[in-house]
Amino acid sequence: MIEKIIISPLDWGLGHATRCVPIIRSYLEQGAEVEIASAAAHKKFFAQEFPDLAWHEAPAYKTKYPKYGWQMFFWLCREFSFIRRVMQEENKWLADLCERKKYTLIISDNRFGFFNKKVKSIYITHQLRISFPPPFAIFEKIGEKLHKSIMKNFDEIWVPDYEEFPGLAGKLSHPSYKSEKIKYIGPISRLANSQLSTLNSQLKTIDTLALISGPEPHRSFFEKYAIKFLTKNPGNHCMVRGLPEETSVPDLPFQVFNHLPADELREKILASRVILCRSGYSTIMDLHLLNAKAIFVPTPGQTEQIYLAKLRKIFSILP
Protein backbone atom coordinates (compact mmCIF):
# COMPACT_ATOMS: atom_id res chain seq x y z
CA MET A 1 0.00 0.00 0.00
CA ILE A 2 1.35 3.41 -1.00
CA GLU A 3 1.56 5.90 1.87
CA LYS A 4 -0.44 9.07 1.23
CA ILE A 5 0.96 11.98 3.21
CA ILE A 6 -0.06 15.57 3.90
CA ILE A 7 2.63 17.84 5.40
CA SER A 8 2.23 21.41 6.62
CA PRO A 9 4.60 23.98 8.20
CA LEU A 10 3.79 26.87 10.50
CA ASP A 11 3.81 30.22 8.70
CA TRP A 12 6.05 32.08 11.20
CA GLY A 13 8.88 32.94 8.82
CA LEU A 14 10.31 30.62 6.15
CA GLY A 15 12.31 28.29 8.42
CA HIS A 16 9.50 25.84 9.15
CA ALA A 17 8.87 25.48 5.41
CA THR A 18 12.54 24.95 4.49
CA ARG A 19 13.05 22.19 7.03
CA CYS A 20 10.07 20.29 5.63
CA VAL A 21 11.95 19.92 2.33
CA PRO A 22 14.29 17.05 3.33
CA ILE A 23 11.36 15.19 4.93
CA ILE A 24 9.30 15.50 1.75
CA ARG A 25 12.26 14.35 -0.34
CA SER A 26 12.79 11.33 1.90
CA TYR A 27 9.19 10.17 1.58
CA LEU A 28 9.20 10.71 -2.19
CA GLU A 29 12.33 8.55 -2.46
CA GLN A 30 10.45 5.84 -0.57
CA GLY A 31 7.66 5.94 -3.15
CA ALA A 32 5.10 7.74 -1.03
CA GLU A 33 2.51 10.15 -2.41
CA VAL A 34 3.03 13.54 -0.77
CA GLU A 35 0.83 16.63 -0.76
CA ILE A 36 1.65 19.99 0.84
CA ALA A 37 -0.55 22.34 2.83
CA SER A 38 0.65 25.80 3.81
CA ALA A 39 -0.29 29.43 4.11
CA ALA A 40 -0.37 31.34 0.82
CA ALA A 41 2.93 33.04 1.76
CA HIS A 42 4.76 29.72 1.27
CA LYS A 43 3.08 28.75 -2.02
CA LYS A 44 5.82 30.02 -4.34
CA PHE A 45 8.58 28.49 -2.22
CA PHE A 46 7.02 25.02 -2.43
CA ALA A 47 6.21 25.49 -6.11
CA GLN A 48 9.91 26.09 -6.75
CA GLU A 49 11.04 23.12 -4.66
CA PHE A 50 8.30 20.67 -5.69
CA PRO A 51 6.54 21.88 -8.85
CA ASP A 52 4.80 18.53 -9.40
CA LEU A 53 3.26 18.11 -5.94
CA ALA A 54 -0.31 19.03 -5.05
CA TRP A 55 -0.54 22.11 -2.81
CA HIS A 56 -3.43 23.21 -0.58
CA GLU A 57 -3.88 26.61 1.05
CA ALA A 58 -4.20 26.03 4.80
CA PRO A 59 -5.44 28.61 7.33
CA ALA A 60 -2.72 31.14 8.15
CA TYR A 61 -1.61 32.27 11.59
CA LYS A 62 -0.51 35.58 10.00
CA THR A 63 1.88 36.34 12.82
CA LYS A 64 3.28 39.86 12.99
CA TYR A 65 5.63 40.32 15.90
CA PRO A 66 5.68 43.48 18.03
CA LYS A 67 8.20 46.18 17.16
CA TYR A 68 10.02 46.09 20.50
CA GLY A 69 11.39 43.03 22.27
CA TRP A 70 10.04 43.93 25.71
CA GLN A 71 6.51 43.70 24.29
CA MET A 72 6.86 40.01 23.38
CA PHE A 73 5.50 38.47 26.59
CA PHE A 74 2.42 40.72 26.56
CA TRP A 75 1.95 40.10 22.85
CA LEU A 76 1.89 36.34 23.48
CA CYS A 77 -0.74 36.74 26.19
CA ARG A 78 -2.86 38.93 23.93
CA GLU A 79 -2.54 36.64 20.88
CA PHE A 80 -3.27 33.39 22.71
CA SER A 81 -7.02 33.44 22.05
CA PHE A 82 -6.43 34.21 18.35
CA ILE A 83 -3.97 31.31 18.08
CA ARG A 84 -6.55 28.97 19.61
CA ARG A 85 -9.13 30.09 17.03
CA VAL A 86 -6.72 29.34 14.18
CA MET A 87 -5.96 25.93 15.74
CA GLN A 88 -9.68 25.08 15.70
CA GLU A 89 -10.07 26.40 12.17
CA GLU A 90 -7.13 24.41 10.77
CA ASN A 91 -8.25 21.25 12.58
CA LYS A 92 -11.72 21.46 11.00
CA TRP A 93 -10.20 22.34 7.61
CA LEU A 94 -7.89 19.32 7.80
CA ALA A 95 -10.72 17.00 8.85
CA ASP A 96 -12.66 17.94 5.70
CA LEU A 97 -9.54 17.44 3.54
CA CYS A 98 -8.82 14.04 5.13
CA GLU A 99 -12.37 12.92 4.42
CA ARG A 100 -11.91 13.65 0.73
CA LYS A 101 -8.24 12.69 0.25
CA LYS A 102 -7.93 9.64 2.54
CA TYR A 103 -4.45 10.39 3.86
CA THR A 104 -2.59 7.70 5.79
CA LEU A 105 -0.13 10.06 7.52
CA ILE A 106 -0.24 13.70 8.68
CA ILE A 107 2.95 15.66 9.41
CA SER A 108 2.76 19.03 11.14
CA ASP A 109 5.76 21.28 11.58
CA ASN A 110 4.71 23.25 14.65
CA ARG A 111 1.11 23.70 13.49
CA PHE A 112 -0.73 23.08 16.74
CA GLY A 113 -4.09 22.06 15.28
CA PHE A 114 -2.86 20.10 12.26
CA PHE A 115 -3.85 16.61 13.41
CA ASN A 116 -6.68 14.14 13.00
CA LYS A 117 -7.74 11.48 15.47
CA LYS A 118 -8.49 9.03 12.65
CA VAL A 119 -5.08 9.38 10.96
CA LYS A 120 -1.58 8.90 12.37
CA SER A 121 -0.34 12.42 13.12
CA ILE A 122 3.27 13.51 13.65
CA TYR A 123 4.37 16.81 15.15
CA ILE A 124 7.81 18.32 14.43
CA THR A 125 9.33 20.79 16.88
CA HIS A 126 12.67 21.73 18.42
CA GLN A 127 10.97 23.63 21.25
CA LEU A 128 9.68 21.10 23.71
CA ARG A 129 10.49 23.74 26.29
CA ILE A 130 9.65 27.38 25.59
CA SER A 131 12.26 29.98 26.53
CA PHE A 132 10.87 33.00 28.40
CA PRO A 133 12.54 36.40 28.94
CA PRO A 134 14.44 36.75 32.27
CA PRO A 135 11.66 38.50 34.25
CA PHE A 136 9.27 35.66 33.35
CA ALA A 137 11.66 32.68 33.37
CA ILE A 138 9.78 31.19 36.33
CA PHE A 139 6.92 30.50 33.92
CA GLU A 140 9.00 28.22 31.66
CA LYS A 141 7.66 25.10 33.38
CA ILE A 142 4.11 26.33 32.74
CA GLY A 143 4.96 26.91 29.09
CA GLU A 144 6.47 23.43 28.90
CA LYS A 145 3.27 21.89 30.30
CA LEU A 146 1.10 23.96 27.95
CA HIS A 147 3.06 22.80 24.89
CA LYS A 148 2.97 19.22 26.18
CA SER A 149 -0.83 19.42 26.44
CA ILE A 150 -1.00 20.57 22.80
CA MET A 151 1.30 17.75 21.68
CA LYS A 152 -0.87 15.07 23.32
CA ASN A 153 -3.07 15.24 20.20
CA PHE A 154 -0.25 13.76 18.10
CA ASP A 155 0.93 10.14 17.90
CA GLU A 156 4.65 10.99 17.60
CA ILE A 157 6.84 14.01 18.31
CA TRP A 158 9.85 14.38 16.03
CA VAL A 159 12.67 16.54 17.36
CA PRO A 160 15.24 17.66 14.75
CA ASP A 161 18.20 17.55 17.10
CA TYR A 162 20.63 15.12 18.73
CA GLU A 163 19.27 13.12 21.65
CA GLU A 164 22.35 13.75 23.80
CA PHE A 165 22.24 17.09 25.62
CA PRO A 166 22.89 19.86 24.66
CA GLY A 167 22.59 19.00 20.96
CA LEU A 168 22.02 22.13 18.91
CA ALA A 169 19.06 23.51 20.86
CA GLY A 170 20.09 22.84 24.47
CA LYS A 171 17.26 23.01 26.98
CA LEU A 172 14.72 23.84 24.26
CA SER A 173 14.86 20.36 22.72
CA HIS A 174 15.59 18.50 25.97
CA PRO A 175 12.63 18.95 28.34
CA SER A 176 12.38 18.03 32.00
CA TYR A 177 10.11 15.06 31.25
CA LYS A 178 10.42 11.80 29.28
CA SER A 179 7.92 10.55 26.73
CA GLU A 180 7.82 7.51 24.46
CA LYS A 181 6.29 9.74 21.80
CA ILE A 182 9.46 11.82 21.49
CA LYS A 183 11.87 10.69 18.77
CA TYR A 184 15.12 12.57 18.05
CA ILE A 185 15.68 12.49 14.30
CA GLY A 186 18.88 14.55 14.19
CA PRO A 187 19.34 17.97 12.51
CA ILE A 188 17.59 18.31 9.15
CA SER A 189 18.27 20.78 6.35
CA ARG A 190 17.10 21.35 2.80
CA LEU A 191 20.79 21.73 1.92
CA ALA A 192 21.57 18.15 2.96
CA ASN A 193 20.41 16.60 -0.30
CA SER A 194 21.84 19.28 -2.54
CA GLN A 195 24.47 18.30 -5.08
CA LEU A 196 27.95 18.09 -3.67
CA SER A 197 29.71 21.42 -3.88
CA THR A 198 32.24 21.91 -6.66
CA LEU A 199 33.95 24.62 -4.61
CA ASN A 200 37.06 23.98 -2.59
CA SER A 201 36.09 24.56 1.04
CA GLN A 202 39.16 26.78 1.44
CA LEU A 203 38.23 29.01 -1.52
CA LYS A 204 36.31 31.89 0.04
CA THR A 205 35.26 34.43 -2.57
CA ILE A 206 32.57 36.17 -0.48
CA ASP A 207 33.54 38.12 2.63
CA THR A 208 30.08 38.35 4.22
CA LEU A 209 26.86 36.63 3.21
CA ALA A 210 23.75 38.14 4.81
CA LEU A 211 20.81 35.75 5.10
CA ILE A 212 17.62 37.69 5.85
CA SER A 213 14.76 35.76 7.41
CA GLY A 214 11.88 35.80 9.88
CA PRO A 215 8.37 37.24 10.09
CA GLU A 216 7.60 40.92 9.68
CA PRO A 217 8.27 43.57 10.79
CA HIS A 218 11.62 42.22 12.02
CA ARG A 219 12.59 40.73 8.67
CA SER A 220 12.56 44.24 7.18
CA PHE A 221 14.36 45.71 10.23
CA PHE A 222 17.14 43.14 9.84
CA GLU A 223 17.41 43.75 6.10
CA LYS A 224 17.99 47.48 6.71
CA TYR A 225 20.59 46.67 9.37
CA ALA A 226 22.36 44.22 7.03
CA ILE A 227 22.44 46.72 4.15
CA LYS A 228 24.00 49.31 6.44
CA PHE A 229 26.52 46.79 7.79
CA LEU A 230 27.58 45.51 4.36
CA THR A 231 27.77 48.98 2.84
CA LYS A 232 29.99 50.32 5.63
CA ASN A 233 32.41 47.39 5.60
CA PRO A 234 34.66 46.99 2.54
CA GLY A 235 34.75 43.65 0.79
CA ASN A 236 32.87 41.38 -1.59
CA HIS A 237 29.46 40.84 -0.02
CA CYS A 238 26.18 39.15 -0.91
CA MET A 239 22.63 39.20 0.51
CA VAL A 240 19.73 36.75 0.21
CA ARG A 241 16.51 38.49 1.23
CA GLY A 242 14.33 35.48 2.04
CA LEU A 243 11.50 36.70 -0.21
CA PRO A 244 10.61 33.95 -2.73
CA GLU A 245 7.46 35.87 -3.74
CA GLU A 246 9.35 39.03 -4.77
CA THR A 247 10.34 39.68 -8.40
CA SER A 248 12.18 43.02 -8.16
CA VAL A 249 15.62 43.32 -6.54
CA PRO A 250 16.92 46.52 -4.88
CA ASP A 251 19.90 48.27 -6.46
CA LEU A 252 22.74 47.90 -3.94
CA PRO A 253 26.57 47.97 -4.16
CA PHE A 254 26.75 44.18 -3.67
CA GLN A 255 25.08 41.08 -5.07
CA VAL A 256 21.45 40.64 -3.98
CA PHE A 257 19.00 37.75 -4.42
CA ASN A 258 15.39 37.54 -3.27
CA HIS A 259 15.68 33.75 -2.86
CA LEU A 260 17.99 30.96 -3.94
CA PRO A 261 17.37 27.25 -4.67
CA ALA A 262 19.07 24.87 -2.24
CA ASP A 263 22.05 24.06 -4.47
CA GLU A 264 22.85 27.71 -5.15
CA LEU A 265 22.43 28.73 -1.52
CA ARG A 266 24.75 25.93 -0.46
CA GLU A 267 27.41 27.19 -2.87
CA LYS A 268 27.09 30.75 -1.55
CA ILE A 269 27.45 29.62 2.07
CA LEU A 270 30.49 27.46 1.32
CA ALA A 271 32.09 30.36 -0.56
CA SER A 272 31.60 32.80 2.35
CA ARG A 273 34.03 33.66 5.12
CA VAL A 274 31.22 34.56 7.53
CA ILE A 275 27.42 34.47 7.53
CA LEU A 276 25.40 37.35 9.01
CA CYS A 277 22.01 35.96 9.99
CA ARG A 278 19.24 35.52 12.52
CA SER A 279 19.69 32.69 15.00
CA GLY A 280 16.57 30.85 13.86
CA TYR A 281 16.86 27.11 14.41
CA SER A 282 16.50 26.12 10.75
CA THR A 283 19.38 28.46 9.87
CA ILE A 284 21.47 26.99 12.68
CA MET A 285 20.89 23.48 11.32
CA ASP A 286 21.88 24.61 7.80
CA LEU A 287 25.11 26.23 9.00
CA HIS A 288 25.92 23.30 11.29
CA LEU A 289 25.68 20.95 8.31
CA LEU A 290 28.07 23.10 6.27
CA ASN A 291 30.40 23.93 9.17
CA ALA A 292 30.00 27.64 8.41
CA LYS A 293 31.06 30.51 10.66
CA ALA A 294 28.33 32.97 11.61
CA ILE A 295 27.52 36.19 13.38
CA PHE A 296 24.06 35.68 14.84
CA VAL A 297 21.73 38.63 15.33
CA PRO A 298 18.76 37.36 17.39
CA THR A 299 15.35 38.82 16.66
CA PRO A 300 14.59 41.31 19.48
CA GLY A 301 12.21 39.78 22.00
CA GLN A 302 12.58 36.22 20.68
CA THR A 303 14.21 34.67 23.73
CA GLU A 304 14.55 31.38 21.84
CA GLN A 305 16.87 33.04 19.31
CA ILE A 306 18.84 34.87 22.02
CA TYR A 307 19.33 31.58 23.87
CA LEU A 308 20.35 29.72 20.69
CA ALA A 309 22.81 32.45 19.69
CA LYS A 310 24.50 32.36 23.09
CA LEU A 311 24.62 28.58 22.87
CA ARG A 312 26.50 28.89 19.56
CA LYS A 313 29.02 31.27 21.25
CA ILE A 314 29.15 34.06 18.63
CA PHE A 315 26.32 36.56 18.64
CA SER A 316 25.34 40.20 18.39
CA ILE A 317 22.17 42.02 19.40
CA LEU A 318 20.74 44.89 17.42
CA PRO A 319 20.62 48.22 19.26
Side-chain angles (χ1 to χ4, degrees):
M1 179 180 174
I2 297 176
E3 189 108 68
K4 189 170 184 179
I5 301 165
I6 181 77
I7 184 168
S8 183
L10 185 66
D11 56 313
W12 291 10
L14 195 59
H16 293 282
T18 62
R19 73 186 190 189
C20 284
V21 170
I23 293 173
I24 294 171
R25 285 177 180 156
S26 177
Y27 276 109
L28 290 175
E29 289 170 1
Q30 296 173 50
E33 181 181 339
V34 182
E35 296 186 3
I36 301 167
S38 75
H42 290 156
K43 181 179 181 180
K44 189 170 183 179
F45 169 78
F46 282 117
Q48 291 172 347
E49 293 284 342
F50 304 103
D52 299 325
L53 297 189
W55 176 86
H56 307 276
E57 183 175 354
Y61 281 82
K62 297 180 181 178
T63 301
K64 190 169 184 178
Y65 284 118
K67 184 174 182 180
Y68 301 105
W70 61 266
Q71 298 173 323
M72 182 62 72
F73 178 78
F74 303 101
W75 174 87
L76 283 169
C77 294
R78 189 185 71 239
E79 292 291 303
F80 185 72
S81 60
F82 170 73
I83 291 171
R84 286 189 66 87
R85 285 199 302 273
V86 179
M87 286 172 59
Q88 293 168 356
E89 181 186 354
E90 71 175 339
N91 189 254
K92 183 179 183 302
W93 177 87
L94 179 61
D96 293 340
L97 192 64
C98 285
E99 190 66 30
R100 290 185 285 112
K101 293 285 190 172
K102 310 300 181 185
Y103 298 114
T104 59
L105 181 64
I106 295 167
I107 302 177
S108 162
D109 190 316
N110 259 113
R111 291 193 70 116
F112 312 125
F114 204 80
F115 65 90
N116 189 287
K117 293 297 185 182
K118 298 178 181 179
V119 183
K120 182 178 180 180
S121 301
I122 294 171
Y123 183 74
I124 301 173
T125 185
H126 68 278
Q127 287 196 79
L128 296 169
R129 180 171 181 168
I130 310 299
S131 181
F132 279 68
F136 308 102
I138 58 173
F139 296 112
E140 283 193 357
K141 284 292 181 115
I142 297 175
E144 185 180 72
K145 288 181 179 179
L146 177 61
H147 199 190
K148 185 180 180 182
S149 70
I150 292 173
M151 293 187 294
K152 71 181 181 182
N153 295 306
F154 295 85
D155 299 291
E156 292 182 9
I157 313 300
W158 287 3
V159 182
D161 199 358
Y162 301 111
E163 185 171 1
E164 186 176 348
F165 183 87
L168 296 183
K171 68 177 182 179
L172 303 183
S173 59
H174 298 83
S176 61
Y177 63 90
K178 299 291 184 181
S179 172
E180 292 183 356
K181 286 186 178 183
I182 297 174
K183 300 181 185 301
Y184 288 88
I185 62 173
I188 54 177
S189 166
R190 75 180 178 118
L191 306 183
N193 289 342
S194 300
Q195 296 175 1
L196 291 176
S197 175
T198 57
L199 291 176
N200 186 302
S201 61
Q202 301 302 312
L203 181 60
K204 305 297 183 182
T205 57
I206 300 172
D207 291 298
T208 306
L209 171 63
L211 300 180
I212 313 302
S213 61
E216 297 292 358
H218 288 294
R219 193 215 65 82
S220 294
F221 293 159
F222 185 45
E223 182 176 18
K224 291 176 183 177
Y225 171 82
I227 291 171
K228 186 177 179 180
F229 179 89
L230 298 181
T231 304
K232 278 189 171 183
N233 291 276
N236 180 36
H237 306 309
C238 180
M239 183 169 74
V240 182
R241 303 176 69 209
L243 295 173
E245 297 286 334
E246 284 288 325
T247 55
S248 61
V249 177
D251 184 18
L252 293 167
F254 46 81
Q255 199 172 31
V256 181
F257 301 92
N258 286 328
H259 178 72
L260 286 175
D263 292 337
E264 293 180 34
L265 180 58
R266 179 189 177 102
E267 297 294 327
K268 292 293 183 187
I269 292 174
L270 289 172
S272 301
R273 290 184 173 85
V274 67
I275 315 299
L276 178 69
C277 58
R278 292 296 196 197
S279 47
Y281 190 63
S282 295
T283 300
I284 285 174
M285 288 192 292
D286 289 340
L287 300 186
H288 171 73
L289 169 74
L290 299 178
N291 196 29
K293 295 181 180 179
I295 298 173
F296 292 118
V297 185
T299 301
Q302 285 200 31
T303 50
E304 170 217 355
Q305 289 199 10
I306 295 171
Y307 172 78
L308 288 172
K310 289 180 177 179
L311 201 64
R312 308 315 299 170
K313 307 299 187 213
I314 303 174
F315 75 101
S316 169
I317 297 179
L318 281 171

